[in-house]
Amino acid sequence: MYVGALELDVLLGDVHSLKQKRSAVRPVVAELRRRFAVSAAEAGHLDLHRRALIGVSCVAADPGHVTEVLDSCERLVAARPELELLSARHRMLGPED
């Protein structure tokens, strides 16, 4: 079993409140869950209104599949015009860890 984790640090565009931030981040998280069957949540920068840390995780028997799914998630977030992807951090845990 392999577990992959992805941290996406994003900068939000024209957002001036935490309420606007939630309305921008929530659809992205929902789309990640729906399209890729992953666990996803806003996991950091909760008190900043223009930054968000989105966490994504995936479990599979093949490490290549985990990498492929997380790369697809990263591309989806990077393609969103209302977000600027500042950084993406991948981690993988396998049977030897």
Side-chain angles (χ1 to χ4, degrees):
M1 175 178 77
Y2 293 88
V3 178
L6 174 63
E7 291 180 356
L8 301 165
D9 189 5
V10 297
L11 180 66
L12 303 168
D14 190 28
V15 172
H16 301 288
S17 70
L18 293 175
K19 188 174 182 178
Q20 287 179 323
K21 175 186 176 179
R22 280 194 306 275
S23 68
V25 172
R26 189 177 296 146
V28 175
V29 170
E31 185 174 4
L32 287 168
R33 290 176 180 162
R34 183 182 50 79
R35 282 186 70 179
F36 302 109
V38 296
S39 293
E42 183 180 357
H45 305 309
L46 299 176
D47 56 343
L48 301 175
H49 66 273
R50 292 204 60 220
R51 293 277 299 273
L53 183 70
I54 299 173
V56 181
S57 65
C58 176
V59 177
D62 177 37
H65 179 68
V66 171
T67 301
E68 179 182 318
V69 170
L70 294 180
D71 286 346
S72 297
C73 291
E74 181 180 346
R75 283 192 299 274
L76 180 127
V77 171
R80 298 292 292 241
E82 70 273 17
L83 305 175
E84 179 183 344
L85 182 60
L86 300 176
S87 68
R89 184 172 164 190
H90 294 253
R91 294 185 197 163
M92 180 81 71
L93 296 172
E96 62 279 350
D97 293 322

